[in-house]
Amino acid sequence: MLGPPTSCVLTLALIDERTREETGLTCQIRYHVMNGADEFIILAHHYENACYRWKTGDRFRNDIEGKWWFGVVEQRVPFDPQFPDSRFNCLRCRYDTGDEATMSPWELQKLDKRRTPKTVGRSFCQLSDDEIRALQYEPRPAEWHRRDRDSECQRIAQCIEQLLRVPEAPPFNGVVDPTIYPDYTSVIAYPTDLAKIRSRLGALFYRRMTALQWEIRQLARNAEKYNGPNHKITDSARLFSETLLTVTSNKDVED
């Protein structure tokens, strides 16, 4: 990494644990992006699944870049003696390769005896499509307005596909060209466009409808911040944003 670490500010919306609806409260986390830093923001469902009490001698598998790597838990010890109940980096593990690592419970998965290397000493195997999907977030009904997430993403992506064909769409159908607008990324902290939103819908990137709606609104916010409130591109961005927000709010809209 060249230059100083990137400073990021992440705003988290607090949700009701029972209803999964936003409470209206938020908190901010400021951190530096650095290579090799431990993950410290953990998705709730990964943390909940990590409640399994790993013991010395337990075999595990770990997903690293689309492959299962296998190993054994050698010791459970607090990472920081001041916080003996913390699960962060509390497991000392050894991979079958001989490499040692200090890990957190949410990084480990229980073994599936049907999916272990047949050759002794082989340390990894490729994740199957079903295993990849099983690791993904499983949305709750309230998070998608009591609708099916997969079909909603497909419906909204199809609407975006139609919007990309209108004459005003070209400024929003891809990443802003830095050779034409070299200051864009210094002005806009979170660039987005219609093609990116469509691609993310196809990948089931959004865990809840409110996250999708936030990015749709960001399309108009970015245009106004960079071009000013009275620019024609800003007017088009507002129109696209309002149209898509209507689509997300009305499940009967398909074109």
Side-chain angles (χ1 to χ4, degrees):
M1 178 181 293
L2 299 178
T6 301
S7 178
C8 296
V9 177
L10 182 65
T11 301
L12 302 177
L14 303 181
I15 61 176
D16 185 282
E17 187 175 353
R18 182 179 59 83
T19 65
R20 313 300 290 182
E21 298 284 353
E22 291 188 20
T23 63
L25 301 174
T26 62
C27 65
Q28 286 191 335
I29 299 174
R30 184 183 296 273
Y31 63 97
H32 295 293
V33 178
M34 296 184 292
N35 293 333
D38 289 315
E39 293 183 359
F40 59 92
I41 300 175
I42 309 301
L43 295 178
H45 70 289
H46 285 322
Y47 184 84
E48 291 162 0
N49 292 338
C51 289
Y52 174 73
R53 301 292 294 185
W54 293 95
K55 305 183 299 297
T56 300
D58 282 348
R59 295 278 298 166
F60 69 85
R61 61 181 184 175
N62 181 23
D63 169 26
I64 302 178
E65 297 182 350
K67 296 178 180 178
W68 288 123
W69 292 81
F70 299 86
V72 62
V73 176
E74 294 196 324
Q75 189 178 11
R76 187 184 184 105
V77 60
F79 177 74
D80 187 334
Q82 295 185 64
F83 305 98
D85 296 326
S86 172
R87 296 176 179 175
F88 177 75
N89 278 356
C90 69
L91 301 176
R92 294 180 181 175
C93 304
R94 181 185 296 273
Y95 284 101
D96 291 350
T97 58
D99 295 322
E100 297 180 345
T102 302
M103 305 177 71
S104 302
W106 47 83
E107 297 179 88
L108 310 184
Q109 297 281 333
K110 295 181 182 180
L111 288 185
D112 181 346
K113 294 182 179 180
R114 300 167 299 175
R115 293 276 295 150
T116 56
K118 296 180 180 180
T119 304
V120 177
R122 184 174 172 82
S123 56
F124 68 85
C125 66
Q126 201 77 27
L127 269 72
S128 68
D129 292 341
D130 288 342
E131 288 172 331
I132 292 173
R133 189 167 183 82
L135 291 173
Q136 294 175 343
Y137 181 71
E138 187 65 31
R140 302 187 184 185
E143 296 172 336
W144 284 87
H145 299 174
R146 304 294 172 183
R147 306 169 192 165
D148 176 66
R149 188 268 308 268
D150 293 18
S151 59
E152 277 296 276
C153 287
Q154 183 178 11
R155 178 182 68 86
I156 298 167
Q158 289 173 346
C159 290
I160 293 178
E161 186 68 35
Q162 296 180 53
L163 287 177
L164 288 171
R165 300 191 189 112
V166 303
E168 295 81 7
F172 309 100
N173 66 5
V175 177
V176 173
D177 189 341
T179 63
I180 301 176
Y181 306 99
D183 64 336
Y184 188 80
T185 54
S186 64
V187 176
I188 302 302
Y190 191 94
T192 191
D193 55 75
L194 291 174
K196 176 187 285 187
I197 296 173
R198 179 189 59 183
S199 175
R200 287 180 164 182
L201 285 165
L204 303 179
F205 171 85
Y206 303 103
R207 296 186 177 93
R208 51 188 59 85
M209 180 70 82
T210 52
L212 167 61
Q213 292 171 333
W214 181 90
E215 185 153 4
I216 289 171
R217 292 188 179 96
Q218 195 66 21
L219 193 73
R221 294 191 194 104
N222 289 351
E224 181 170 344
K225 184 174 183 179
Y226 189 78
N227 301 288
N230 301 316
H231 198 282
K232 63 179 182 180
I233 289 183
T234 302
D235 291 338
S236 297
R238 290 190 187 119
L239 180 60
F240 285 130
S241 181
E242 292 168 3
T243 300
L244 285 176
L245 288 173
T246 299
V247 170
T248 62
S249 300
N250 187 347
K251 65 179 181 180
D252 296 321
V253 176
E254 296 184 356
D255 54 41

